[in-house]
Amino acid sequence: MKRLAAGPVICAEGYVFELERRGYLQAGAFVPEVLMEHPEVVEQLHLDFVRAGSDVTEALTYYVHREKLRVIGREKDLEPMNRIALAIAKKVARRTHTLFAGDICNTNIYDPQDPKALKEVEAIFVEQVSWAADAGVDYIVAETFSWGGEALMALEAIRKHSKVPAVVTFALHREGKLREGWTPAETCRRLEAAGAAVVGVNCIRGPATMLPILKRIRKAVKCEVAALPVPYRTTRAEPTFQSLTDPCCGGSRAFPTGLDPFMCTRGEIADFGRAAHALGVRYLGVCCGAGPHHIRALAEALGRHPEASRYSADMSKHAFFGTDKRIRAVQTTFRSRL
Ligand SMILES: [Zn+2]
């Protein structure tokens, strides 16, 4: 909270998508089994994001909950996987002086009509929050909820079973509301009233279809607001990355492995960062699909100069487009024919 009071806080998320692209995780279930198979890859990814400007090292416990592990038949690995994820993130956070965050998320079994399911949801949150608290996290992120009620349950678990602040962000699908029908503004008000330190939106929507919602959220609450879009070019007609269809592939659904042609440029992420910050949104990041280059662009847009900025583009020495006097005319005069 002290860091937020002093200026924006950048939080890299979306590790699961990046690890899938790198070949360490399977699209579909999206469970980061990589934690046990290649912990060194997860550690390096955290370091890459910190180097690019993330102020936070968030433990990769997204989709490391009991329900997800049940689906892939690895429930017995639940606790070790959570503890490994927390240990890796803690090591990186303490070494890099970034904030160390725990993470809980959508359970996919929340159903307001099913009391038995609600008990299971509660148990999922309580055990994951307890492991995060044990690991000594600085705060806990609760993210990607489609149900406002589920977000409130996650917040309650954090409040009851840890002593750290909660950042609660939810996901807005095509209709732009929570599944109960609550508006984003109303949901944020409820979360603030229930004790969340930061409230907002993450995942599912790209910058273009998340930005208009932020205005309403910022007006609705007094607490700090978070925004972590996916880095994809979502549109009014297809406002979420799960609704994007690709005309080059017979109009088929692009999610999750055909999203490449919709990827935002670094410039678009930078524009989003500036626009969101101008609205008063100070907890910023990028979710599923984000690479370190996006986080660096966001950091630079907010006036930062992270370690990776040493290698930010300088076209003055490019062989054809360069302006440096050492670049030969034999190449620069060919420019228009490239
Ligand atoms: Zn995401």
Side-chain angles (χ1 to χ4, degrees), residues 238 244-254 258 261-262:
E238 294 180 342
L244 286 170
T245 55
D246 191 347
C248 291
C249 304
S252 61
R253 187 190 297 276
F262 300 97

Side-chain angles (χ1 to χ4, degrees), residues 35-92:
L35 286 162
M36 297 185 89
E37 290 159 8
H38 287 286
E40 78 285 358
V41 172
V42 178
E43 182 175 338
Q44 186 59 49
L45 180 60
H46 283 315
L47 288 167
D48 291 350
F49 277 122
V50 170
R51 182 180 164 78
S54 184
D55 297 310
V56 181
T57 303
E58 186 174 345
L60 176 50
T61 51
Y62 181 84
Y63 271 4
V64 191
H65 59 57
R66 191 171 290 281
E67 167 60 14
K68 267 289 166 184
L69 293 195
R70 190 188 60 76
V71 168
I72 64 159
R74 288 189 71 166
E75 222 177 319
K76 65 170 182 14
D77 293 324
L78 173 69
E79 186 173 341
M81 277 175 80
N82 273 275
R83 294 211 189 265
I84 290 167
L86 288 155
I88 297 169
K90 184 174 191 173
K91 181 178 165 196
V92 172

